[in-house]
Amino acid sequence: MTFLKMNGTVLHHKIRLSGKTSVVFLNSLGTDLRIWDDVASLLPDDWTVLQIDKRGHGLSETGDADMKTYAADVAALMDHYCLGPALICGVSIGGMIAQQLFHTRSDLVSSMVLSNTAARIGDAANWQARLDQLDEVGLEALADGILERWFSAAFRSDRPSDLQGYRSMLARTPAEGYATACRAIRDTDLRDQTSQIDAPVICISGTEDLATPSHIVAQFAQSIPKASVVEISGAGHLPCIETPSEVAAVIKGIAQQG
């Protein structure tokens, strides 16, 4: 385990310093850096890999944040390790953080894999409703409904032990950390800036994703000049967990383009 204080907050991360090709992984709401472990294990041993617990998640300290804060945390860690430009891989809110990083520190981004995300996810009313539910009943009570949006029906039925493990990961997320990330998504709309993304981008969608359905990801990709879409059949909102080999193949493919 590695901890560094960046922007006034202690951030937990995992770093494998190896070669010139660098990949940075950014997580979804209510998860920690371990969701990328299976993908990272399939990448070449001579790649540098950075996995980060955003503030308020995993073992990172909780602190006030918006999307620019999350991106600044990533930039600070990358600067510390002299990484960049790097391939940035983000899922869900992690994909929004990746976009924000490009808009504020494009020098750190060579290309992006944006998984199950968009420039705007949901609307303010829906996110506020979730925040209100969080205050009323707590994350534990919301967990089962969230898992139905995260994972395909096949995953939920065929891998019950894994499902329970990820439920524990979600339910143990600090309530304030989870709420802070919900507010950041609620208040973020990057649609006016997507046409400015001039780095190569692959957008990943899952046919069984109920949170950011395939048509939403496809529309998002159309707004990015150098973007293409890879749709993974049978995957839900977190292909990095359900189909890590397919996600690793996408990452290796875009890295070879560079």
Side-chain angles (χ1 to χ4, degrees), residues 29-80:
L29 176 64
T31 66
D32 63 40
L33 57 77
R34 290 173 291 182
I35 67 170
W36 291 105
D37 281 351
D38 288 345
V39 175
S41 71
L42 296 170
L43 300 181
D45 291 338
D46 61 352
W47 285 18
T48 289
V49 176
L50 174 62
Q51 296 166 248
I52 305 169
D53 281 343
K54 63 182 165 292
R55 56 176 68 198
H57 286 67
L59 299 181
S60 287
E61 192 176 11
T62 299
D64 291 338
D66 56 15
M67 208 63 69
K68 290 182 178 179
T69 308
Y70 291 130
D73 289 344
V74 176
L77 282 171
M78 291 181 68
D79 285 340
H80 176 83

Side-chain angles (χ1 to χ4, degrees), residues 26-226:
L26 307 176
N27 314 324
S28 59
L29 176 64
T31 66
D32 63 40
L33 57 77
R34 290 173 291 182
I35 67 170
W36 291 105
D37 281 351
D38 288 345
V39 175
S41 71
L42 296 170
L43 300 181
D45 291 338
D46 61 352
W47 285 18
T48 289
V49 176
L50 174 62
Q51 296 166 248
I52 305 169
D53 281 343
K54 63 182 165 292
R55 56 176 68 198
H57 286 67
L59 299 181
S60 287
E61 192 176 11
T62 299
D64 291 338
D66 56 15
M67 208 63 69
K68 290 182 178 179
T69 308
Y70 291 130
D73 289 344
V74 176
L77 282 171
M78 291 181 68
D79 285 340
H80 176 83
Y81 289 109
C82 299
L83 302 184
L87 197 171
I88 313 296
C89 303
V91 59
S92 194
I93 185 178
M96 301 184 84
I97 297 169
Q99 295 169 64
Q100 186 64 65
L101 180 67
F102 179 88
H103 295 315
T104 55
R105 288 290 306 276
S106 61
D107 60 300
L108 295 177
V109 182
S110 61
S111 56
M112 291 188 285
V113 173
L114 302 177
S115 178
N116 304 75
T117 192
R120 174 69 171 162
I121 297 178
D123 58 40
N126 286 336
W127 285 109
Q128 188 56 52
R130 185 176 302 192
L131 285 162
D132 293 343
Q133 286 183 310
L134 186 66
D135 284 340
E136 292 170 7
V137 301
L139 192 50
E140 171 73 31
L142 300 178
D144 289 336
I146 292 171
L147 290 174
E148 289 183 1
R149 295 173 63 80
W150 277 9
F151 295 116
S152 66
F155 180 95
R156 299 196 309 273
S157 64
D158 297 345
R159 297 170 61 179
S161 295
D162 290 341
L163 184 69
Q164 182 57 47
Y166 288 110
R167 188 188 191 283
S168 296
M169 177 184 287
L170 169 64
R172 293 172 185 174
T173 301
E176 184 52 37
Y178 188 89
T180 296
C182 286
R183 289 190 290 267
I185 299 172
R186 179 196 66 189
D187 297 340
T188 298
D189 187 345
L190 300 171
R191 288 176 291 184
D192 289 343
Q193 301 177 67
T194 53
S195 63
Q196 301 170 21
I197 298 176
D198 57 3
V201 175
I202 296 180
C203 296
I204 294 176
S205 66
T207 59
E208 308 306 309
D209 185 359
L210 300 181
T212 50
S214 292
H215 72 277
I216 296 294
V217 177
Q219 291 173 0
F220 168 52
Q222 289 175 359
S223 67
I224 303 174
K226 298 180 181 179

